[in-house]
């Protein structure tokens, strides 16, 4: 049964997913209608990942009703060859309203090829949805339908440059797991749709249910939207310079070691000025900024696994609790304690 959209309330500062709007609870007995708009050639995990999150939430007490719709109401076949049945056409007058519209991705969307009727269905359903979200290349459908004009968005890292070039009014974040701009959400590649869906469940039903869902699906952790799609070492091209390559490996292997400019330059047998030039050329950052980024990621992992701020600061080389707090606020916009709270139950 379709439901009347709820009204948003202000997020609680420092709460888990504090950057997400906390939606008002659904009226007693009402259910939030979630519609997945699938289409011929959609990527299977883009469809099933979010649906598993919302169906698990419903099974565990969340008030969700789930439908899979297609542009013309016909059954479709995904990229994996799996056939999915449709609950109806996306352009139908019913439901008169829905809570969440989800749009999956497909490689052909990144090439500007949209299945017949898809964009009309996106516009029709989004006009009646409380919020609209895309998974991976589904952002291209939202953008082509005109929903993302002048907004922030993200997509799979392979396609962020294409999305930005094709839709110059967009502000594309090439690194985020997911991005929210008012009631529009876009997420990165494939599994990021699960992260986004967990965040949406938490916004609706609170952190306890979201963490129960994460445990049920054996998801190690709920990644916040601003977290990078890749770790610092993984997204840094391997430098051709032997000494610099060795330094990057040392920093990744032991973030807590002495990685001051003087120490790095001595180990590399280079002057500080020369080493700084090499870092800028090959990593796009100064040595200090690169080390801070690696230590921040290490600190995130320690906190997610339940370590205290004091232990985390010491084991990552950040130093003091206050230094850790400043780094988290500057780079992530949350305190270490708020970040740790996000994972307190999912990692048990």
């Amino acid at each position: 049964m379709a439901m009347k959209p709820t009204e948003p309330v202000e997020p609680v500062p420092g709460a888990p997913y504090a950057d997400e709007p906390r939606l008002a609870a659904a009226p007693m007995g009402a259910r939030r209608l979630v519609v997945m708009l699938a289409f011929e050639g959609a990527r299977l995990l883009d469809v099933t990942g979010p649906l598993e999150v919302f169906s698990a939430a419903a099974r565990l007490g969340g008030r969700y009703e789930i439908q899979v719709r297609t542009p013309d109401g016909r059954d479709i076949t995904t990229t994996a060859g799996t056939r999915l049945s449709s609950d109806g056409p996306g352009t139908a007058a019913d439901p008169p309203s829905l809570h969440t519209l989800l749009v999956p991705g497909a490689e052909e969307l990144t090439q500007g090829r949209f299945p017949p009727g898809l964009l009309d269905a996106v516009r029709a359903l989004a006009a009646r949805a409380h919020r609209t979200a895309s998974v991976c290349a589904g952002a291209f459908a939202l953008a082509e339908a005109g929903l993302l004009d002048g907004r922030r968005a993200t997509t799979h890292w392979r396609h962020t440059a294409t999305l930005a070039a094709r839709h110059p009014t967009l502000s594309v974040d090439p690194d985020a797991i997911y991005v929210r701009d008012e009631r529009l959400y876009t997420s990165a590649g494939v599994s990021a749709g699960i992260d986004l869906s967990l965040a949406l469940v938490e916004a609706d039903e609170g952190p306890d249910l979201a963490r129960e869902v994460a445990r049920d699906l054996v998801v190690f952790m709920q990644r916040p939207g601003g977290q990078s799609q890749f770790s610092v070492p993984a997204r840094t091209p391997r430098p051709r310079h032997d000494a610099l390559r060795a330094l990057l490996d040392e920093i990744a292997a032991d973030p807590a070691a002495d990685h001051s400019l003087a120490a790095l330059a001595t180990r590399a047998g280079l002057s500080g000025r020369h080493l700084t030039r090499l870092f800028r050329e090959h990593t796009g950052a100064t040595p200090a900024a690169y080390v801070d980024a690696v230590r921040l990621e290490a600190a995130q992992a320690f906190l997610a696994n339940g370590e205290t701020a004091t232990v985390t600061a010491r084991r990552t080389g950040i130093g003091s609790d206050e230094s850790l707090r400043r780094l988290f606020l500057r780079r992530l916009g949350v305190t270490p304690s708020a970040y740790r709270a996000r994972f307190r139950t999912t990692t048990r």
Side-chain angles (χ1 to χ4, degrees):
M1 180 181 70
M3 64 161 286
K4 183 178 180 180
T6 56
E7 292 301 318
V9 299
E10 289 301 312
V12 180
Y17 295 101
D19 60 333
E20 299 301 329
R22 179 74 64 182
L23 302 183
M28 187 64 66
R31 300 183 71 80
R32 298 179 177 91
L33 178 60
V34 177
V35 173
M36 172 64 73
L37 179 60
F39 51 87
E40 190 70 21
R43 195 166 188 173
L44 180 60
L45 190 56
D46 286 7
V47 176
T48 58
L51 290 184
E52 281 290 344
V53 171
F54 285 103
S55 63
R59 189 173 65 254
L60 293 168
R63 285 165 287 177
Y64 292 108
E65 176 188 350
I66 299 168
Q67 291 185 2
V68 176
R69 294 199 169 227
T70 56
D72 57 7
R74 298 178 182 177
D75 295 353
I76 59 97
T77 302
T78 68
T79 51
T82 302
R83 191 164 184 81
L84 299 178
S85 60
S86 173
D87 292 311
T91 52
D94 68 299
S97 64
L98 60 146
H99 189 266
T100 303
L101 170 63
L102 300 167
V103 181
E107 190 68 24
E108 65 179 354
L109 304 187
T110 69
Q111 300 162 4
R113 303 200 308 272
F114 300 92
L118 174 61
L119 299 182
D120 288 340
V122 168
R123 295 185 187 102
L125 288 169
R128 306 197 297 272
H130 180 73
R131 64 189 178 199
T132 298
S134 66
V135 182
C136 196
F140 284 83
L142 299 192
E144 193 70 20
L147 272 63
L148 297 181
D149 291 350
R151 296 186 178 273
R152 293 177 59 245
T154 193
T155 187
H156 192 289
W157 62 270
R158 290 186 186 277
H159 305 304
T160 51
T162 301
L163 182 64
R166 189 169 297 159
H167 299 280
T169 69
L170 267 66
S171 175
V172 179
D173 188 331
D175 201 34
I177 294 293
Y178 61 85
V179 168
R180 173 178 62 87
D181 191 324
E182 296 182 354
R183 297 190 181 189
L184 290 167
Y185 299 74
T186 51
S187 63
V190 193
S191 64
I194 295 175
D195 296 293
L196 173 57
S197 298
L198 285 168
L200 296 178
V201 168
E202 181 165 354
D204 296 336
E205 299 280 357
D208 291 342
L209 180 62
R211 289 163 182 161
E212 279 297 312
V213 172
R215 285 202 298 270
D216 182 68
L217 299 180
V218 198
V219 178
F220 177 66
M221 62 177 62
Q222 297 164 271
R223 297 178 292 178
Q227 184 169 315
S228 298
Q229 295 185 33
F230 291 98
S231 67
V232 173
R235 66 177 181 264
T236 302
R238 293 291 287 170
R240 293 184 299 273
H241 194 284
D242 291 342
L244 181 58
R245 187 166 58 249
L247 289 179
L248 296 188
D249 289 342
E250 291 174 7
I251 294 168
D254 187 7
D258 183 2
H259 298 308
S260 63
L261 178 59
L264 292 172
T266 298
R267 297 204 298 271
L270 302 169
S271 70
R273 182 174 297 179
H274 187 191
L275 183 60
T276 298
R277 284 200 300 269
L278 286 176
F279 260 86
R280 287 190 181 279
E281 178 183 347
H282 292 276
T283 73
T286 64
Y290 185 87
V291 171
D292 273 354
V294 172
R295 285 175 171 167
L296 176 64
E297 287 189 345
Q300 289 174 271
F302 279 123
L303 290 171
N305 283 309
E307 290 289 1
T308 65
T310 300
V311 171
T312 296
R314 174 173 53 81
R315 295 184 64 182
T316 57
I318 293 173
S320 68
D321 290 20
E322 182 57 29
S323 295
L324 181 70
R325 184 176 184 276
R326 287 199 301 267
L327 182 60
F328 265 68
L329 286 172
R330 185 173 72 250
R331 298 293 294 274
L332 301 179
V334 297
T335 64
S337 59
Y339 187 91
R340 183 173 180 263
R342 293 172 173 172
F343 307 105
R344 187 165 292 152
T345 59
T346 57
T347 55
R348 286 179 181 173

